[in-house]
Amino acid sequence: MENNRSFYNEILTEHNVNPYHKMDIKDANYELHGVNPSCGDEITLKLKVDNDKIVDAGYVGDGCAISQASADMMIDLVLGKTKEEALRLADIFFRMIKDEISEDELEELEEAGALQDISHMPARVKCAVLSWHTLEEMFECK
């Protein structure tokens, strides 16, 4: 358990200190603002989708370490994927938070799987799922 916590903290810290995708995407053709009103976390998710494939992505916003790291990890995971594949990964992420996935599905989430223990911290679940809900809502609107 201690190794899992260490891994979780290392990944979370890395995505907060050195976020790879926290940037504006000027030519985004998908954009949606997501807010967690219970704590004030917010992101604006921007995607460039070409021929149904996510070819560029970024986010801007402010919030706790979990919300910002989760957004960064999500973008790592969905870049290069189709909208359908990205929505499938979002479904796996939501089921992971509910502790309802297989080991194979957990592996598909790559670093985002480090947030698995959030399910045991109910007050932080909304932080972890903010970007994923924003992605899901974005694709449902278009």
Side-chain angles (χ1 to χ4, degrees), residues 23-141:
M23 64 184 139
D24 194 16
I25 304 296
K26 297 289 184 205
D27 56 350
N29 50 358
Y30 283 78
E31 180 176 333
L32 189 64
H33 187 72
V35 177
N36 178 355
S38 62
C39 69
D41 292 342
E42 64 177 304
I43 65 158
T44 298
L45 181 61
K46 297 183 177 195
L47 305 178
K48 182 176 182 184
V49 179
D50 188 24
N51 289 325
D52 201 45
K53 187 178 253 185
I54 302 167
V55 295
D56 200 5
Y59 71 99
V60 293
D62 292 301
C64 71
I66 292 170
S67 73
Q68 301 299 288
S70 184
D72 206 54
M73 288 185 270
M74 179 194 73
I75 291 173
D76 267 351
L77 200 56
V78 301
L79 265 174
K81 303 284 194 292
T82 64
K83 291 190 267 182
E84 185 178 309
E85 290 168 329
L87 288 170
R88 182 179 163 281
L89 289 166
D91 176 65
I92 293 171
F93 187 85
F94 296 137
R95 288 187 294 111
M96 176 192 71
I97 295 298
K98 295 176 189 172
D99 205 20
E100 298 173 354
I101 63 169
S102 69
E103 282 299 314
D104 288 340
E105 289 174 317
L106 182 60
E107 284 183 27
E108 283 186 69
L109 292 177
E110 298 173 8
E111 285 186 331
L115 294 172
Q116 183 176 26
D117 284 341
I118 293 294
S119 62
H120 305 293
M121 298 178 252
R124 304 315 299 264
V125 167
K126 288 183 180 179
C127 305
V129 299
L130 174 61
S131 58
W132 296 87
H133 278 303
T134 304
L135 175 78
E136 186 178 59
E137 192 175 321
M138 176 186 291
F139 285 149
E140 288 174 357
C141 292

